[in-house]
Amino acid sequence: MKPLCPRTDFPPLDGGVPHVPDLVYLDSAATSLTPRPVIDAVRSYYETSSANIHRGKHMLSDLASEAYEECRFAVADFLRVRHSEVVLTRNTTHGLNILANGLPLTPEDRVLVAADNHHSALLPWQRRCVTERIGTGDDPQASYAAYRAALTAGPPPRAVVLSHCSNVTGIYLDVAPWVAAAREVGALVILDAAQTAPHRELDPVGLGVDAVVFSAHKMLGPTGIGVLWAGTELLESLTPTEIGGGTVDWVDDDGFRWRAVPHRLEAGTPDVAAAYGFTAALQYLRRTGMRRIREHDHEVAGLMVDEARKRDLSFLGDRNSSAERAATLSLFWPGMSGARMDVLARALSDSYGVMCRSGYLCSQPLVTRHAEGPVLRLSGYVYTGADDVTRAFAALDELAAAGMAS
Ligand code: PMP
């Protein structure tokens, strides 16, 4: 299995990192590498415009404003939604906070939160209202039955917050039945698609969810920009938690008039350069083809699982072996402390040039419950080939022989 995209498109894989000529990058679920066209697009903002948006009437400001709105159109195209329903956020976490803090919720309201959610899809809700965790894990049928029971176990929940793909196990949730059940009790469905948007086609309207959030930096784009999509009615029902320049049409000494959505939810100067890069990233993904990316993921994930099984290594989501997974695998060694896991990740990095993540992956309740300690996550993407996976496991073999991975 070869990388789907040329490694030469990604500077760190093309000799860009001093002293690491043949780097293995397996931390894509945290942040993906950035291809040259995206880097060029970010640079072009500073070289050809570098102005603020939607404020000035001069040519450079017009150019930047147009490019910024072009990014909104590119996202709308990617999701097959209306551009006026795309809020450009800073990242997934920001989008989730806009929702949790903007919805008219009371501290007594119930919100169901999936057990495999990232902290960003838990904490904003936990702070605002009564949250109850719902399993989406190892036994899909039992999880779904428990979810249905939770929906009617008290006052109807106001929202259900789901992870489309777990950043820990890489396993996708079959969202449709979960949405249908939420509809029966009138709950909103909010989908964290941070790990899906990079890996396969995303169709929020087709899925029937009310809102979707994700980040550009996990899908070949720059840091500093993300997406919140929701229908117009829902966006209009949100109380903006930030207010200032860009959010209002008119201000006098006594008050102000909000701008229309999505602008009223985008306070202050955004990361304009990132919008240039995000448009280029979406073009790159389109050229590569989301279907091919999904197939490639499947191969990478299959190889990772095979290599882990060959060695009898424990990994999260093992029991759910028939489920589709993104190219993400979290290994663990029962009883290994956080400090030893960090040493292992450091040794992989510094002695073998293999970059992967260790710890609780911002999903501490889930990781603690199932691994009883930290994990080591390998996560690939379009630039990952079989060599990367086999090199990572060969390095682990050597570290195991040295007593460091056991
Ligand atoms: N949700 C999931 C599923 C994630 O994987 C991540 C990033 N690890 C986030 C939310 C948070 O993303 P960001 O840091 O870009 O806000």
Side-chain angles (χ1 to χ4, degrees):
M1 177 196 28
K2 291 204 177 87
L4 185 56
C5 297
R7 290 167 69 88
T8 47
D9 277 359
F10 298 88
L13 302 180
D14 192 30
V17 181
H19 316 299
V20 195
D22 52 353
L23 187 115
V24 172
Y25 189 78
L26 290 171
D27 194 18
S28 307
T31 290
S32 63
L33 296 178
T34 316
R36 292 186 197 278
V38 174
I39 299 169
D40 292 345
V42 172
R43 190 184 307 110
S44 83
Y45 163 70
Y46 292 109
E47 287 178 351
T48 66
S49 167
S50 211
N52 210 325
I53 59 163
H54 300 325
R55 313 266 205 277
K57 284 287 158 255
H58 61 83
M59 186 178 78
L60 295 192
S61 176
D62 271 352
L63 285 174
S65 304
E66 256 171 51
Y68 192 76
E69 290 308 313
E70 228 176 78
C71 178
R72 197 186 308 280
F73 275 93
V75 172
D77 219 31
F78 180 73
L79 296 176
R80 285 165 283 167
V81 299
R82 288 195 204 134
H83 72 279
S84 58
E85 297 182 339
V86 172
V87 183
L88 293 174
T89 61
R90 291 192 291 276
N91 48 43
T92 306
T93 307
H94 186 208
L96 287 160
N97 274 276
I98 291 174
L99 287 165
N101 298 325
L103 283 168
L105 296 169
T106 68
E108 292 77 38
D109 280 330
R110 291 175 75 218
V111 170
L112 302 188
V113 179
D116 64 354
N117 279 8
H118 188 277
H119 294 165
S120 297
L122 163 68
L123 300 176
W125 307 96
Q126 210 171 56
R127 200 167 63 168
R128 264 317 294 280
C129 39
V130 179
T131 48
E132 290 167 35
R133 307 307 298 272
I134 42 170
T136 48
D138 275 352
D139 180 345
Q141 273 175 350
S143 299
Y144 184 65
Y147 163 62
R148 287 200 67 102
L151 283 172
T152 51
R158 297 290 311 280
V160 176
V161 188
L162 299 172
S163 210
H164 199 186
C165 176
S166 161
N167 65 307
V168 176
T169 63
I171 292 177
Y172 289 101
L173 178 70
D174 178 14
V175 173
W178 293 69
V179 173
R183 286 281 165 268
E184 288 172 21
V185 299
L188 294 171
V189 179
I190 290 156
L191 192 65
D192 176 349
Q195 296 295 340
T196 318
H199 297 284
R200 64 188 229 189
E201 280 177 349
L202 184 59
D203 174 14
V205 174
L207 288 172
V209 298
D210 296 284
V212 155
V213 286
F214 54 94
S215 303
H217 68 90
K218 294 180 196 288
M219 51 197 297
L220 308 180
T223 53
I225 191 163
V227 172
L228 155 62
W229 169 84
T232 305
E233 206 181 314
L234 179 57
L235 289 182
E236 284 179 344
S237 75
L238 298 173
T239 303
T241 44
E242 295 171 351
I243 183 167
T247 61
V248 288
D249 273 335
W250 186 262
V251 183
D252 59 28
D253 287 341
D254 302 319
F256 63 88
R257 196 170 62 226
W258 286 116
R259 277 185 85 186
V261 293
H263 307 289
R264 78 168 71 141
L265 296 161
E266 296 176 0
T269 301
D271 193 335
V272 186
Y276 278 62
F278 194 12
T279 305
L282 291 167
Q283 286 162 353
Y284 191 98
L285 289 172
R286 182 180 289 266
R287 279 198 302 277
T288 307
M290 293 311 290
R291 191 169 308 152
R292 286 176 67 220
I293 294 175
R294 187 173 174 175
E295 286 162 10
H296 182 70
D297 254 13
H298 186 67
E299 283 186 50
V300 176
L303 183 58
M304 284 179 175
V305 167
D306 286 349
E307 293 290 324
R309 291 229 169 98
K310 252 194 254 169
R311 294 164 172 82
D312 218 9
L313 290 174
S314 305
F315 61 94
L316 291 175
D318 187 6
R319 285 201 288 141
N320 201 346
S321 54
S322 61
E324 183 184 353
R325 60 168 82 221
T328 294
L329 193 80
S330 292
L331 300 165
F332 63 99
W333 290 264
M336 188 184 276
S337 69
R340 280 192 62 213
M341 188 67 90
D342 287 348
V343 169
L344 179 62
R346 194 78 222 181
L348 281 168
S349 151
D350 295 2
S351 302
Y352 298 92
V354 176
M355 311 295 145
C356 51
R357 183 141 302 230
S358 59
Y360 293 91
L361 314 180
C362 292
S363 293
Q364 196 163 3
L366 175 84
V367 172
T368 308
R369 189 168 317 117
H370 295 288
E372 292 174 21
V375 296
L376 185 80
R377 182 180 66 190
L378 315 181
S379 54
Y381 200 17
V382 292
Y383 35 72
T384 307
D387 273 2
D388 296 296
V389 177
T390 48
R391 269 188 58 202
F393 278 93
L396 277 173
D397 288 341
E398 287 193 23
L399 291 168
M404 289 177 71
S406 53

